[in-house]
Amino acid sequence: MTAARSAAQPDPGPPAVPADAGLTTGVLARRLGVSPMTLRSWDRRYGIGPTARTGGGHRRWTAADVATVEEMCRLTATGIPPADAARAARTATAGPPAAAGAATAAPPPAPAGRSRAAGALPLGDVRLECRGLARAAVRLDAPALEQQLIAAVERYGLVAAWQEVMVPTLHAVGRRWASSEDQYVEVEHLLAWHVSTVLRRSTPPAAPAASPGAGCVLLACVPGEQHTLPLEALHAALAGEGVPVRMMGAALPVEALDAAVRRLGPVAVVLWAQESARAAPALARHVAGLRWGMKGTRRGPAVLLGGPGWSRSRPAGVLRPAGLAQAVEALRALHTAG
């Protein structure tokens, strides 16, 4: 009788949890560096999903659910197909098997010919957002990358988001690229593209000026230098401060730099060099020595050196800001004084 009554009772469904217990899909997606759509797809296709509900019927990810999906992320990031990764993730987080001596299923090897580059990045002690961004990058999850970059800028402001979220993640990708025989090229390119895109979207439109170059700051990479992202961050930050700025981009030839400085008459010129082989003290001295204007009122630009390439070279009379925040402060002061 009791057994019959039990068999007739409806399935109680997922265990109920308090409304503030467990994680929502959106919060977990940001923590893991994947898009919410990816988590919903894994739930629908492979049964890797939230197992609890609040009293109001909202689904929540418990600690056990989170451990399973974290393992799923780790396995898929190594190139294992999602279906195989889901089976292995459930096995790995289910605890020891009931039968004594039963073997635990090992994750299947990555398929031959697929990139094995997408392992954990060497981030160290960084903000939680860096880890989410890194996971999105190694998964080549473009929607998650863009969402997290935009969220970081909105939460911390552009300067702090650049220095504390974007730069540590970019450096981690670069270190892994350098140590893995170029296996991280696709990760670095995708991350850099989305960082650049978000920086440009965060740049307010230039305000009209009486003179095209009046009081502006000129940004340029030294000849041969292709790394523009730091200058893009500086461009966006200066524009946000209302400082007129002209971005000359990568590998500007000396003749073109000379012509731009003479035509614009900027209050300051920033020269970026990523590598010491391209940091030319003679170029910095040349720019600092340029003059324009009527006799008796001639003036020239302040010169700021940016990038690790200048660590061994610092000509007299030029500035060497320690980071983006210090560069913005110095250039804003020069613009105000000019």
Side-chain angles (χ1 to χ4, degrees):
M1 183 72 169
T2 303
R5 184 180 295 116
S6 299
Q9 289 177 346
D11 183 358
V17 297
D20 59 351
L23 300 177
T24 65
T25 296
V27 169
L28 181 59
R30 289 190 295 273
R31 175 180 294 185
L32 296 176
V34 301
S35 68
M37 185 180 300
T38 297
L39 292 180
R40 295 187 185 103
S41 174
W42 287 351
D43 183 15
R44 185 176 63 255
R45 295 182 180 184
Y46 313 116
I48 302 291
T51 59
R53 292 183 184 272
T54 65
H58 300 289
R59 305 183 76 188
R60 292 292 185 268
W61 297 77
T62 66
D65 300 333
V66 172
T68 301
V69 79
E70 283 180 338
E71 181 67 5
M72 175 81 170
C73 287
R74 187 188 70 79
L75 293 172
T76 56
T78 64
I80 296 174
D84 294 336
R87 287 192 293 270
R90 285 193 296 267
T91 300
T93 57
T104 300
R114 296 189 60 169
S115 173
R116 309 173 80 93
L121 293 175
L123 283 164
D125 184 16
V126 294
R127 286 187 181 272
L128 181 63
E129 288 87 351
C130 297
R131 300 190 182 282
L133 198 60
R135 291 190 185 101
V138 296
R139 290 177 53 78
L140 304 182
D141 190 338
L145 273 178
E146 187 159 330
Q147 291 167 11
Q148 291 179 54
L149 288 167
I150 291 172
V153 172
E154 291 176 348
R155 180 173 184 181
Y156 300 115
L158 190 141
V159 172
W162 168 257
Q163 294 183 152
E164 299 181 27
V165 178
M166 300 179 192
V167 168
T169 310
L170 286 163
H171 284 176
V173 173
R175 288 193 298 271
R176 182 52 61 90
W177 180 359
S179 64
S180 62
E181 299 179 356
D182 291 344
Q183 291 183 351
Y184 265 70
V185 176
E186 72 281 8
V187 176
E188 193 275 342
H189 281 205
L190 186 70
L191 176 60
W193 169 261
H194 283 281
V195 168
S196 177
T197 299
V198 169
L199 289 174
R200 296 192 187 196
R201 288 181 180 174
S202 303
T203 304
S211 174
C216 77
V217 173
L218 189 152
L219 312 179
C221 289
V222 299
E225 180 58 68
Q226 298 293 333
H227 292 79
T228 63
L229 277 182
L231 287 188
E232 292 178 38
L234 180 55
H235 180 274
L238 289 174
E241 294 287 337
V243 177
V245 58
R246 300 293 183 269
M247 173 63 154
M248 296 297 161
L252 189 66
V254 174
E255 297 80 5
L257 175 61
D258 190 286
V261 171
R262 294 182 186 278
R263 289 174 62 187
L264 291 171
V267 296
V269 176
V270 179
L271 299 175
W272 182 269
Q274 187 74 17
E275 299 179 7
S276 58
R278 297 193 177 98
L283 176 61
R285 288 193 293 268
H286 170 74
V287 174
L290 292 176
R291 294 292 181 269
W292 54 82
M294 299 294 292
K295 186 176 181 180
T297 60
R298 293 174 67 80
R299 59 189 179 89
V303 174
L304 282 76
L305 305 180
W310 297 103
S311 58
R312 301 179 184 176
S313 307
R314 182 174 175 178
V318 301
L319 303 176
R320 181 83 163 85
L324 180 59
Q326 188 176 344
V328 171
E329 182 179 352
L331 292 166
R332 182 174 53 207
L334 288 167
H335 168 67
T336 302

